[in-house]
Amino acid sequence: SPSTHRYDRGVKRERYLRTGAREVWLVDLELEEIEVHRAVDEPPVVLRRGDTLTTEVLPGFSAAVDDLLGP
Protein backbone atom coordinates (compact mmCIF):
# COMPACT_ATOMS: atom_id res chain seq x y z
CA SER A 1 0.00 0.00 0.00
CA PRO A 2 1.41 3.44 -0.87
CA SER A 3 0.44 4.78 2.55
CA THR A 4 2.48 2.11 4.41
CA HIS A 5 5.29 1.58 1.88
CA ARG A 6 8.10 2.93 4.06
CA TYR A 7 6.88 1.16 7.20
CA ASP A 8 6.47 -2.18 5.36
CA ARG A 9 9.96 -2.04 3.83
CA GLY A 10 11.63 -0.86 7.02
CA VAL A 11 10.24 -1.55 10.47
CA LYS A 12 7.80 -4.30 9.54
CA ARG A 13 10.24 -6.27 7.33
CA GLU A 14 12.98 -6.08 9.94
CA ARG A 15 10.63 -7.06 12.76
CA TYR A 16 9.40 -10.15 10.87
CA LEU A 17 12.94 -11.32 10.11
CA ARG A 18 14.25 -10.65 13.62
CA THR A 19 11.38 -12.58 15.21
CA GLY A 20 11.78 -15.74 13.16
CA ALA A 21 10.30 -15.31 9.69
CA ARG A 22 12.59 -17.16 7.29
CA GLU A 23 11.58 -14.97 4.34
CA VAL A 24 9.63 -11.81 3.65
CA TRP A 25 8.24 -11.22 0.15
CA LEU A 26 7.48 -7.64 -0.82
CA VAL A 27 5.40 -7.37 -3.98
CA ASP A 28 5.51 -4.03 -5.78
CA LEU A 29 2.88 -3.90 -8.50
CA GLU A 30 4.00 -0.48 -9.75
CA LEU A 31 7.63 -1.54 -10.25
CA GLU A 32 6.47 -5.03 -11.27
CA GLU A 33 8.92 -6.79 -9.01
CA ILE A 34 9.07 -9.03 -5.97
CA GLU A 35 11.77 -8.59 -3.34
CA VAL A 36 12.62 -11.68 -1.34
CA HIS A 37 14.30 -10.84 1.96
CA ARG A 38 16.00 -13.71 3.79
CA ALA A 39 18.02 -11.89 6.45
CA VAL A 40 17.99 -8.40 7.89
CA ASP A 41 21.54 -7.55 6.84
CA GLU A 42 21.54 -9.17 3.39
CA PRO A 43 20.41 -7.51 0.18
CA PRO A 44 17.12 -8.85 -1.17
CA VAL A 45 16.75 -11.06 -4.20
CA VAL A 46 14.81 -8.99 -6.74
CA LEU A 47 12.62 -10.88 -9.19
CA ARG A 48 10.97 -9.38 -12.25
CA ARG A 49 8.73 -10.51 -15.08
CA GLY A 50 10.19 -13.58 -16.76
CA ASP A 51 11.70 -14.84 -13.48
CA THR A 52 10.49 -17.75 -11.39
CA LEU A 53 10.03 -17.56 -7.63
CA THR A 54 11.26 -20.58 -5.67
CA THR A 55 11.95 -20.88 -1.99
CA GLU A 56 13.58 -23.32 0.43
CA VAL A 57 10.82 -22.45 2.90
CA LEU A 58 8.24 -24.22 0.69
CA PRO A 59 10.02 -27.19 -0.91
CA GLY A 60 8.67 -27.89 -4.38
CA PHE A 61 6.97 -24.48 -4.66
CA SER A 62 7.53 -22.59 -7.88
CA ALA A 63 5.61 -19.69 -9.41
CA ALA A 64 6.15 -17.50 -12.43
CA VAL A 65 6.54 -13.88 -11.34
CA ASP A 66 4.31 -12.92 -14.29
CA ASP A 67 1.49 -14.98 -12.77
CA LEU A 68 1.95 -13.42 -9.34
CA LEU A 69 1.97 -9.86 -10.69
CA GLY A 70 -0.99 -10.39 -12.99
CA PRO A 71 -1.62 -8.99 -16.46
Side-chain angles (χ1 to χ4, degrees), residues 7-68:
Y7 179 75
D8 293 342
R9 290 182 176 278
V11 173
K12 195 172 179 181
R13 174 192 57 84
E14 187 175 318
R15 187 174 295 155
Y16 283 157
L17 291 170
R18 288 205 191 276
T19 58
R22 292 173 53 196
E23 288 184 346
V24 174
W25 301 352
L26 298 174
V27 179
D28 190 318
L29 296 175
E30 286 185 21
L31 293 177
E32 295 191 326
E33 66 184 27
I34 298 172
E35 290 182 8
V36 180
H37 296 264
R38 294 193 172 105
V40 174
D41 298 326
E42 291 180 18
V45 174
V46 179
L47 302 169
R48 295 183 177 85
R49 290 196 178 275
D51 293 334
T52 301
L53 174 61
T54 60
T55 174
E56 293 177 12
V57 176
L58 302 169
F61 173 82
S62 164
V65 171
D66 291 21
D67 292 340
L68 298 172

